[in-house]
Structure formats: structure tokens, C-alpha cells
Amino acid sequence: MNNKVLLDNLRCIPDFPKKGINFRDVTTLYKSGECMQIMLDELYELYKDKGITKIVGIESRGFIMAAALASRLGCGVVLARKPGKLPATVVKESFSKEYGVDTIEMHIDSINEDDVVLIHDDLLATGGTAKAAYKLVQHFHPKKTFMNFIIEITDEGLHGRDLFEGIELTTLMTI
């Protein structure tokens, strides 16, 4: 979609968190009421007719638009969190990162077989965290699963999308 207003408001920080990385900072989009409305409107148009019953927001920036869109769609929000942040019984999925292994968790009663789930996060780059979230959701055997990201990074040889062949995946911006 690459809305000009969103692109113009997206901050790029060179050499963060390490040299050679161009960090795309979505916080500049979240602080703008106009950008928030554009993102919410675009997400709503993408998913209004999909029968979404739950949106899984991936910690932590994925929580923001997951909650806003869930309110607009009239569905629930499920949190995919780092270990130790959820108070009840959880299911977990570990995944490799460039500097080690990480884990995300969801409550064991988050999703059921009747749910149509949208997994949402701010950024798709390598896809490791998103793939772990997808595997967590599949543990519950929902009717259908969709994936969405605000930004997909492809300009640095990243191919996170390749991990999700056969899954309906949308992004608001491709960089």
C-alpha cells in the first residue's frame, strides 16, 4: 500500500542497533493521530470481511494496532508475550535469533477451534518472532489464520515472508 503520509512519517535510524542496520522506528507513526487513523482504516478495510474473532498482538508494538483494530472489528485481543509476563497457564514457543534463543507465550485458553485469527506485529524482517507466534496459534487449531505487519523490510536482503508460504499475509508498507 505504501501510503505517502505513513512513509513520510516513518523514522529511519541508521546503524541501530548495530552498524549496517537501518532501524525503522514505528513510534513516529504511533505518535501521529493522522498516521494512526490511516493505519487503522487500512487494516479495517483489509480485514472487515474476514470473520476475525481474535487478533494476536506480538509483544510489544504489536499490541497497539491489535487493540485498536479489535475495537473496530468487535473482536478479542490475545497477547503473545515474553516469558513470565502472563499470570495463568501458558503455551510457549522458542525460536532462534541472531544472538541466541528467545521464547514467546500465550495463555492456554486464548484461542479455540472456532476462532478466525489475525496475527499482527509492527515489523516483518527475518520472521523469527512471527513464525513462533504462528506456531503458537496453530497449537489451538483455529479455523483460519491471517498475518499482518505494518512494515515489511526487504531492502536488506531480508526474506521473512518466505517463512509463510500459503498463509495470507499483508503489510501496510514494504521497504
Side-chain angles (χ1 to χ4, degrees):
M1 295 181 181
N2 285 358
N3 180 288
K4 182 169 174 20
V5 174
L6 297 180
L7 288 170
D8 288 348
N9 280 277
L10 182 63
R11 179 172 31 206
C12 180
I13 302 169
D15 298 322
F16 181 84
K18 63 183 184 178
K19 188 161 181 61
I21 302 289
N22 290 313
F23 185 81
R24 296 332 193 275
D25 181 12
V26 296
T27 64
T28 55
L29 302 177
Y30 295 147
K31 73 178 184 177
S32 163
E34 179 183 19
C35 289
M36 285 290 291
Q37 194 61 55
I38 289 168
M39 290 187 295
L40 184 56
D41 289 347
E42 288 186 4
L43 288 169
Y44 178 76
E45 287 303 315
L46 285 168
Y47 294 103
K48 67 182 179 184
D49 298 322
K50 302 286 188 186
I52 305 294
T53 58
K54 302 270 176 62
I55 300 176
V56 173
I58 299 174
E59 184 155 338
S60 65
R61 292 178 300 265
F63 298 167
I64 297 166
M65 293 310 295
L69 182 59
S71 178
R72 175 91 56 100
L73 292 175
C75 66
V77 174
V78 174
L79 305 180
R81 302 227 45 199
K82 293 178 181 173
K85 302 289 185 179
L86 295 171
T89 304
V90 297
V91 61
K92 58 180 80 181
E93 186 70 34
S94 294
F95 58 100
S96 296
K97 297 176 85 169
E98 60 276 10
Y99 49 83
V101 175
D102 210 344
T103 302
I104 57 170
E105 301 177 338
M106 291 172 32
H107 280 133
I108 196 80
D109 59 355
S110 297
I111 296 169
N112 66 54
E113 293 177 353
D114 294 325
D115 282 320
V116 176
V117 177
L118 170 62
I119 299 170
H120 173 78
D121 204 1
D122 66 323
L123 184 73
L124 175 61
T126 64
T129 306
K131 186 67 171 189
Y134 179 79
K135 286 179 179 179
L136 270 178
V137 168
Q138 295 317 296
H139 169 83
F140 299 100
H141 308 288
K143 282 185 190 177
K144 176 91 175 158
T145 304
F146 301 91
M147 299 193 74
N148 172 265
F149 303 88
I150 294 172
I151 302 166
E152 178 180 4
I153 305 291
T154 61
D155 69 346
E156 296 168 3
L158 300 171
H159 304 284
R161 180 181 285 270
D162 295 348
L163 297 175
F164 302 101
E165 270 191 52
I167 301 164
E168 188 173 319
L169 185 150
T170 61
T171 61
L172 300 186
M173 292 180 278
T174 302
I175 310 285

